[in-house]
Amino acid sequence: MMNLITMGRRGALILATALLGAACSPASDTNESSTTQTNQALPAGNIDDARINNAASEPGNWLAHGLDYREQRFSPLTQINRDTVAKLGLAYELDVGSNDALEATPIVVDNTLFFTSTYSIVHAVDAVSGEELWRYDPQVPKEFLRKACCGPINRGVSVYQGNVYVATLDGRLVAVKASNGEKVWEVDTVIDRDRFYSITGAPKTAKGKVFIGNGGAEFGVRGYVTAYDAATGEQIWRFYTVPGDPSLPFEHPEMELAATTWKGGAWWEVGGGGTVWNSIVYDPEFDQVYLGVGNGAPWTRVIRSPGGGDNLFLSSIVAVDADTGSMNWYYQTTPGDNWDYTAVQDMTLADMTVDGEERKVLLQAPKNGFFYVLDREDGELLRAHPYVKTTWATHVDMETGRPVENPETDYTEEAKWVLPGPLGGHDWQAMSFDESKGIMYLPAQDFPFIYSLNKEFKETGYFKRNPGTTNLGLDMENSSILAAEMEDSAPVAKGYLKAFDPISGEELWSVDHVHYWNSGVLASAGGLVFQGDGLGYLSAYDADTGEKLWTYNTYISMLAPPVSYAIDGTQYVAILAGTGGVENFVGTTNETAALKYGNFGKLLVFKLGGDAVLKEPRIRDRTIPEQPLLTASADQLLRGEQQYNVVCGGCHGGNVRAAGIIPDLRMMGDGKHAIFKEIVIDGVLSAGGMASFADVVTPEDAENIRQYIISRANIDREAAQQVSSSAGG
Ligand code: CA
């Protein structure tokens, strides 16, 4: 979840580019080797463990989420390189019919691209022509949107043993045939339908199994990961990440250990959290699966576990046996998490020399701002250098393996700005690792956040879970008021692309981005690093210097990672463009492409000499219309603001400033104002995703919220008119 503050007032817009002219010399990379391995019976081939493990032998494909089981996301292709990239152009575009975030990594196998769009819809597309071959729509109910934190997003599929596996926003796991999208089996992964579980992550496949977790910590759920038989959907094992109700037996021995680290609270009533919503990695060398575990529910530990304790396995990397799900080791990045510091971020497996010794390592840059290098065999901590500014902790003590917290940012008594905030120094956006150089290229950000203890808990010592909305344990009601009060001391929010040495902690270079929320990263043997940004530019940087060598205006803000593949001697770079997720919460003032143009989700595919042309979309009219009469008292307006912050701001934006994805309520016409209560209470627009909030909003508060919207619209309308009149005169 995200706070409700405005930001991005500082920092200049830098769009200048350096296009280096160079002679085009097509290299010889093709996917020749893959043609000998394909299964003729299936257009998508028969992908198995050996093929994913040996993905390097078929460099034309992108077989798995992180390319192969090592998840390095480093393309070995070289046709597009420093010398040729100036000739990179659009091969084709495909409108996927979405206006929310596209976050999937496309899987490329034997001339077919497999990816997901919003509401967990699976697309199979001819990788050369862009023609859609089939589409599978799992029919996620649109009104489910309010039960998920961050929009109808999905991070992709797994293609394995002739099937395509997708996990749906409403918590199902589905296998469809890779050849035609026909459903093979479907299971419900959710243990408690009274809680708001959702899934946005890509399933992982290995050893004849499908591994999947879930999300929903902010709504108050208990995290777990389940392994299913890939052929039948039969459940094989389940690993809970946090202990449940202590009056019930432990589900597995690890829960007995974990329970000793939770003290005094009633965490199981809120849920505990620990959802594994993104990264699950299989390691064939140790036959174990790494689970990236999320934050606590609620966020604040004084509410969740007032007696202290580390609250295992929150914010941990847990290694479990692939066949049994029993734990081999764990490493907790943020003991007793207090800040939404998930360790769900992508994990990369590598072999590296550390202190003169060859080590099999796991690399992760979780939200908390430290870059961890662990020994995969036993979880030993080898390095933990900061990769962004961290104010919550001074450093990680290498003797104890624990972060040393900074008492000055403790927020139990008074509100504090903290870095990183809940978007993390790095979130789910993919990073890319060049093992030959030992350099990680990662999208990072400074995203400050005001943490302040929940007011009711502060006054009464009591915190009650609200089943209909988020349960952070923070003073979210007054978030916009606090942000205004503390604006002067706010750190600057911005984004970066960094080349980082996880062993030395050295930053080789760093590119500044105006906007904090940018795309995943792809590095390649062509000496390039590709990244899309929030302003809509896809760029290629020199991997050695960070110099921008190529840039392309897509007019779409990007989050998903680019991938590269080659067919018949031509290398392609593909990216799904379209923003959203936590973007919605912030109410940015940066001129993102989503704000400027809207957010029309597309698959964009590039090749050398590509000459397809993207049409510049119409620039949106963002003139705030004249508002209905403001009739509320000051008290009613304050109540409206507080209720808006808790119930509405997460999607429609802090300070009623939307990010260009979900409707901006300042733009409502008289017709919408007239039926505002019917929308919020009766759910008359639920088919479009705006479900009824009758369980959390009274009719009286719906009117208070509407009045607050009017007041905010009036303020911004007046400010805009002043700007335009002073510009005109
Ligand atoms: Ca979270």
Side-chain angles (χ1 to χ4, degrees):
M1 273 300 295
M2 195 29 42
N3 73 331
L4 309 166
I5 59 172
T6 57
M7 57 183 40
R9 298 175 301 276
R10 281 158 270 189
L13 200 73
I14 301 165
L15 300 176
T17 63
L19 280 171
L20 296 190
C24 175
S25 55
S28 58
D29 294 281
T30 66
N31 60 341
E32 275 168 75
S33 55
S34 69
T35 55
T36 58
Q37 297 175 13
T38 53
N39 178 336
Q40 296 303 318
L42 292 163
N46 200 355
I47 300 182
D48 56 14
D49 293 40
R51 205 170 155 193
I52 297 173
N53 212 19
N54 298 317
S57 70
E58 41 182 314
N61 284 331
W62 191 283
L63 291 181
H65 191 70
L67 182 60
D68 60 11
Y69 283 136
R70 294 162 77 80
E71 311 262 335
Q72 294 184 354
R73 288 180 176 268
F74 183 82
S75 171
L77 301 172
T78 57
Q79 187 178 83
I80 301 166
N81 58 45
R82 288 187 184 91
D83 296 329
T84 62
V85 71
K87 301 211 166 161
L88 193 59
L90 187 69
Y92 63 86
E93 60 171 305
L94 177 70
D95 189 333
V96 302
S98 150
N99 58 5
D100 211 299
L102 300 179
E103 299 192 352
T105 299
I107 305 297
V108 189
V109 46
D110 305 345
N111 302 2
T112 306
L113 283 166
F114 298 93
F115 61 89
T116 52
S117 60
T118 48
Y119 292 100
S120 331
I121 295 170
V122 184
H123 304 255
V125 169
D126 182 301
V128 173
S129 71
E131 184 200 345
E132 188 162 283
L133 304 171
W134 56 258
R135 177 186 289 215
Y136 170 74
D137 183 350
Q139 303 289 337
V140 173
K142 291 276 198 299
E143 58 265 40
F144 199 86
L145 197 52
R146 70 162 281 201
K147 300 182 180 178
C149 83
C150 307
I153 54 173
N154 190 281
R155 279 182 294 278
V157 299
S158 185
V159 182
Y160 187 68
Q161 296 181 346
N163 288 338
V164 175
Y165 299 90
V166 63
T168 66
L169 190 68
D170 57 353
R172 294 169 286 146
L173 179 66
V174 186
V176 301
K177 278 185 192 162
S179 55
N180 59 13
E182 201 177 287
K183 188 154 86 182
V184 180
W185 56 256
E186 172 179 325
V187 293
D188 185 1
T189 75
V190 175
I191 54 168
D192 180 356
R193 281 282 168 195
D194 290 336
R195 304 250 174 179
F196 290 1
Y197 279 98
S198 57
I199 306 183
T200 58
K204 179 72 52 180
T205 46
K207 297 205 81 184
K209 301 176 189 67
V210 191
F211 309 99
I212 191 68
N214 45 47
E218 278 68 30
F219 288 102
V221 304
R222 179 189 181 194
Y224 56 90
V225 170
T226 316
Y228 296 93
D229 186 303
T232 64
E234 189 194 341
Q235 185 176 320
I236 295 171
W237 55 255
R238 175 165 287 158
F239 185 91
Y240 288 91
T241 57
V242 296
D245 183 341
S247 70
L248 300 173
F250 297 114
E251 290 87 353
H252 45 86
E254 293 84 355
M255 285 300 94
E256 195 170 352
L257 163 71
T260 63
T261 67
W262 294 67
K263 291 166 188 169
W267 69 85
W268 63 94
E269 284 171 7
V270 179
T275 51
V276 180
W277 55 262
N278 183 50
S279 187
I280 299 174
V281 171
Y282 172 66
D283 183 346
E285 290 177 283
F286 295 100
D287 195 25
Q288 58 193 4
V289 179
Y290 307 110
L291 314 177
V293 184
N295 57 278
W299 286 1
T300 42
R301 67 184 154 197
V302 291
I303 298 176
R304 196 176 62 230
S305 184
D310 289 349
N311 295 183
L312 291 173
F313 295 96
L314 294 181
S315 310
S316 300
I317 295 164
V318 181
V320 301
D321 183 277
D323 291 323
T324 65
S326 66
M327 186 170 75
N328 293 337
W329 56 260
Y330 72 90
Y331 176 78
Q332 189 173 37
T333 61
T334 311
D337 167 48
N338 214 12
W339 306 269
D340 188 28
Y341 285 164
T342 68
V344 307
Q345 282 55 45
D346 282 2
M347 293 177 269
T348 303
L349 312 185
D351 294 352
M352 295 181 87
T353 308
V354 185
D355 302 326
E357 237 184 285
E358 277 304 303
R359 307 292 285 253
K360 296 199 174 296
V361 300
L362 182 153
L363 308 173
Q364 192 193 47
K367 279 187 183 177
N368 76 10
F370 293 98
F371 196 120
Y372 293 86
V373 182
L374 304 178
D375 189 309
R376 286 186 265 147
E377 189 167 11
D378 55 9
E380 183 192 346
L381 176 66
L382 302 174
R383 290 290 189 277
H385 294 294
Y387 64 90
V388 284
K389 194 171 178 201
T390 62
T391 65
W392 73 281
T394 55
H395 63 287
V396 175
D397 183 328
M398 294 304 290
E399 290 297 309
T400 62
R402 301 170 69 90
V404 179
E405 289 180 30
N406 176 6
E408 282 170 25
T409 55
D410 184 316
Y411 65 85
T412 44
E413 295 300 325
E414 55 178 311
K416 295 282 170 65
W417 282 109
V418 178
L419 275 171
L423 262 66
H426 163 236
D427 206 334
W428 61 269
Q429 287 95 328
M431 49 190 194
S432 183
F433 185 61
D434 185 345
E435 192 170 27
S436 70
K437 293 178 180 157
I439 298 299
M440 186 68 85
Y441 302 95
L442 80 156
Q445 64 239 351
D446 290 332
F447 186 82
F449 182 81
I450 296 175
Y451 292 86
S452 180
L453 187 59
N454 180 269
K455 217 170 174 185
E456 195 185 346
F457 178 80
K458 228 171 167 174
E459 284 163 9
T460 67
Y462 183 67
F463 181 83
K464 187 180 182 308
R465 180 177 82 99
N466 185 340
T469 185
T470 55
N471 297 266
L472 307 187
L474 301 185
D475 185 12
M476 291 311 289
E477 279 196 352
N478 297 298
S479 55
S480 56
I481 296 151
L482 282 168
E485 281 172 9
M486 296 169 67
E487 189 180 341
D488 289 346
S489 58
V492 178
K494 64 189 295 194
Y496 308 94
L497 170 62
K498 292 185 185 226
F500 188 83
D501 182 335
I503 302 298
S504 71
E506 196 188 341
E507 189 177 283
L508 270 72
W509 52 259
S510 176
V511 170
D512 286 9
H513 291 306
V514 173
H515 195 52
Y516 54 89
W517 202 228
N518 303 297
S519 97
V521 172
L522 170 73
S524 77
L528 298 172
V529 182
F530 291 90
Q531 188 190 24
D533 64 35
L535 305 184
Y537 288 80
L538 177 64
S539 302
Y541 302 87
D542 187 313
D544 290 337
T545 64
E547 185 187 356
K548 194 188 279 183
L549 301 180
W550 173 84
T551 194
Y552 188 95
N553 191 355
T554 72
Y555 310 113
I556 310 171
S557 303
M558 283 164 279
L559 298 178
V563 300
S564 192
Y565 59 95
I567 294 170
D568 294 336
T570 300
Q571 183 186 351
Y572 298 85
V573 172
I575 187 167
L576 286 156
T579 192
V582 295
E583 181 88 278
N584 291 318
F585 308 134
V586 180
T588 184
T589 53
N590 288 335
E591 192 68 358
T592 61
L595 267 184
K596 191 172 175 184
Y597 298 113
N599 190 48
F600 305 101
K602 284 179 183 174
L603 169 70
L604 301 173
V605 178
F606 298 83
K607 65 177 180 183
L608 295 181
D611 58 2
V613 177
L614 276 181
K615 227 175 88 187
E616 182 173 1
R618 201 156 50 90
I619 293 175
R620 256 214 264 241
D621 180 5
R622 283 184 276 154
T623 313
I624 297 168
E626 200 172 325
Q627 298 293 304
L629 199 64
L630 185 67
T631 56
S633 69
D635 280 355
Q636 286 168 327
L637 274 186
L638 176 63
R639 174 75 188 168
E641 177 168 8
Q642 292 175 330
Q643 289 301 294
Y644 176 91
N645 287 346
V646 171
V647 181
C648 319
C651 293
H652 292 282
N655 293 320
V656 201
R657 287 181 187 143
I661 302 129
I662 309 275
D664 191 311
L665 301 178
R666 297 171 302 171
M667 312 298 279
M668 286 195 298
D670 290 344
K672 287 275 164 62
H673 275 283
I675 60 163
F676 192 78
K677 229 172 271 180
E678 285 80 356
I679 296 170
V680 175
I681 305 295
D682 304 332
V684 295
L685 298 183
S686 64
M690 175 60 199
S692 162
F693 282 80
D695 56 327
V696 284
V697 178
T698 64
E700 198 182 326
D701 277 337
E703 178 57 17
N704 291 334
I705 289 168
R706 193 179 74 86
Q707 291 286 323
Y708 168 62
I709 292 167
I710 294 170
S711 76
R712 283 288 311 117
N714 282 337
I715 291 166
D716 288 349
R717 183 177 145 86
E718 207 167 293
Q721 280 171 346
Q722 273 174 10
V723 168
S724 70
S725 71
S726 66

